[in-house]
């Protein structure tokens, strides 16, 4: 399958790949800044990723977290270019030893290939002299880091952003922790987000702030309904409607119920 989209933003170029094209969560964008690649793309899209990367030399690969769409081709890139990917230390075990991937994710992205990595340093210098500064932002994943470029006002967001409102949550995501991580990211100076699913997000800080506010509103509504004596399933149906094909296809690993369950656990309602 050919690369689905190409775009550039200043020195950043990007390629969107994906086995499916059923919404932003089913495609993935590999970003490149000169000879630095940010996230490796899904393993079942290696032919497209390899073709894209072959256009310029690759000196370093930076991974935001271990998920297969982000790190699935890291071993192949490491072998092809003779480099050691940089990744969160919290991801090392999963990246080196592998992990179980739910069937639906395996269908969409493929199975990850184990890879040895080096820890993310405090700063990663790119060819231009600018720096990627990692910030630990768990919640979506226990190892997720965003990459801030203070000189440019940019944020490579991993999976911290994706959309201004969410309707589903994975069973292994931690909503209170995710909200704390968004608050942490909002203390940074940035305007442009490079999201590996949504793409280029202008006015990104205000949109990330809007996402946090939407989460707070969801939590407040959920907890008010709980105070009224509503059950979890009743709250889900009232706010988000009945579970749909997404939940059923993932055996409820990715569901509205997970989101509302997390919303009921949130204690910090600041936005």
């Amino acid at each position: 399958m050919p690369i689905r989209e190409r775009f550039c933003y200043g020195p950043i170029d990007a390629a969107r790949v994906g086995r499916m094209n059923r919404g932003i969560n089913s495609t993935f964008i590999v970003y490149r800044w000169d000879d630095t690649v940010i996230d490796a793309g899904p393993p079942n899209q290696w032919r497209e990723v390899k073709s894209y990367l072959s256009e310029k030399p690759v000196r370093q690969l930076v991974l935001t977290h271990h998920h297969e769409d982000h790190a699935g081709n890291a071993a192949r890139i490491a072998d092809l270019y003779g480099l050691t990917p940089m990744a969160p230390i919290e991801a090392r075990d999963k990246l080196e030893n592998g992990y179980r991937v739910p069937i639906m994710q395996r269908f969409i992205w493929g199975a990850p290939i184990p890879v040895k990595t080096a820890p993310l340093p405090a700063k990663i210098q790119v060819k231009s002299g600018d720096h990627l500064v990692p910030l630990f932002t768990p919640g979506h994943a226990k190892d997720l880091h965003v990459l801030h470029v203070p000189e440019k006002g940019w944020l490579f967001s991993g999976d911290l952003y994706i959309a201004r409102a969410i309707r589903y949550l994975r069973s292994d995501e931690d909503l209170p922790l995710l909200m704390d991580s968004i608050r942490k990211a909002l203390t940074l100076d940035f305007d442009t987000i490079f999201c590996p699913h949504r793409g280029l997000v202008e006015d990104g800080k205000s949109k990330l702030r809007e996402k946090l506010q939407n989460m707070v509103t969801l939590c407040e509504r959920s907890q008010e309904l709980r105070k009224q004596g509503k059950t979890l399933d009743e709250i889900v149906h009232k706010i988000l409607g009945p579970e749909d094909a997404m939940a059923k296809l993932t055996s409820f690993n990715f569901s509205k119920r997970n989101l509302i369950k997390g919303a009921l656990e949130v204690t910090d309602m600041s936005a």
Side-chain angles (χ1 to χ4, degrees), residues 7-269:
F7 63 90
C8 296
Y9 183 85
I12 308 298
D13 64 82
R16 184 187 293 275
V17 300
R19 181 177 188 177
M20 302 176 65
N21 189 20
R22 302 295 182 185
I24 60 169
N25 284 327
S26 65
T27 61
F28 188 88
I29 300 168
V30 178
Y31 289 103
R32 178 171 49 195
W33 188 353
D34 293 323
D35 56 6
T36 298
V37 176
I38 299 167
D39 282 333
N44 66 9
Q45 297 299 296
W46 172 237
R47 183 176 66 178
E48 289 75 15
V49 172
K50 181 181 179 182
S51 173
Y52 165 60
L53 296 182
S54 69
E55 297 172 6
K56 298 179 184 177
V58 175
R59 178 176 60 89
Q60 54 188 5
L61 169 63
V62 187
L63 304 177
T64 60
H65 61 298
H66 75 277
H67 286 162
E68 60 278 0
D69 50 337
H70 293 257
N73 290 315
R76 290 164 166 154
I77 294 172
D79 290 343
L80 186 61
Y81 293 101
L83 56 80
T84 300
M86 290 174 274
I89 189 68
E90 299 86 356
R92 175 177 287 175
D93 180 65
K94 288 182 181 295
L95 289 172
E96 291 191 3
N97 300 313
Y99 57 96
R100 188 187 72 81
V101 178
I103 292 174
M104 181 54 61
Q105 291 171 221
R106 186 181 289 264
F107 171 74
I108 295 172
W109 304 124
I113 301 170
V115 61
K116 292 187 179 299
T117 60
L120 288 174
K123 290 185 178 182
I124 304 163
Q125 185 168 324
V126 299
K127 190 175 181 179
S128 66
D130 298 305
H131 295 85
L132 299 165
V133 182
L135 177 69
F136 184 40
T137 52
H140 166 74
K142 294 179 180 179
D143 55 318
L144 177 64
H145 284 64
V146 297
L147 305 169
H148 181 221
V149 186
E151 299 94 339
K152 303 287 191 185
W154 295 346
L155 189 73
F156 290 90
S157 59
D159 280 343
L160 189 67
Y161 177 68
I162 303 181
R164 282 181 282 177
I166 58 175
R167 294 179 59 81
Y168 311 91
L169 205 69
R170 286 167 51 137
S171 60
D172 60 349
E173 289 183 277
D174 185 324
L175 186 63
L177 192 55
L178 175 58
M179 293 171 67
D180 284 343
S181 289
I182 292 176
R183 293 186 187 97
K184 188 191 303 184
L186 287 171
T187 67
L188 302 175
D189 183 15
F190 67 94
D191 182 68
T192 302
I193 286 176
F194 295 92
C195 174
H197 295 286
R198 175 66 60 180
L200 182 69
V201 182
E202 301 275 19
D203 197 19
K205 190 167 186 175
S206 68
K207 289 175 181 174
L208 185 60
R209 186 178 288 113
E210 183 179 346
K211 176 173 184 169
L212 178 60
Q213 182 58 64
N214 288 335
M215 289 175 163
V216 169
T217 299
L218 176 74
C219 294
E220 290 174 341
R221 290 184 64 197
S222 299
Q223 294 184 22
E224 179 59 33
L225 289 170
R226 171 54 61 87
K227 289 177 184 177
Q228 296 173 16
K230 303 295 185 183
T231 66
L232 176 58
D233 288 338
E234 288 172 336
I235 298 170
V236 171
H237 196 277
K238 178 74 173 179
I239 296 177
L240 300 174
E243 294 285 9
D244 52 26
M246 178 65 72
K248 295 170 184 177
L249 287 171
T250 63
S251 299
F252 294 88
N253 177 55
F254 194 58
S255 69
K256 297 175 182 179
R257 182 185 177 89
N258 289 337
L259 178 57
I260 297 300
K261 187 175 180 182
L264 293 171
E265 297 171 354
V266 170
T267 57
D268 185 353
M269 298 294 187

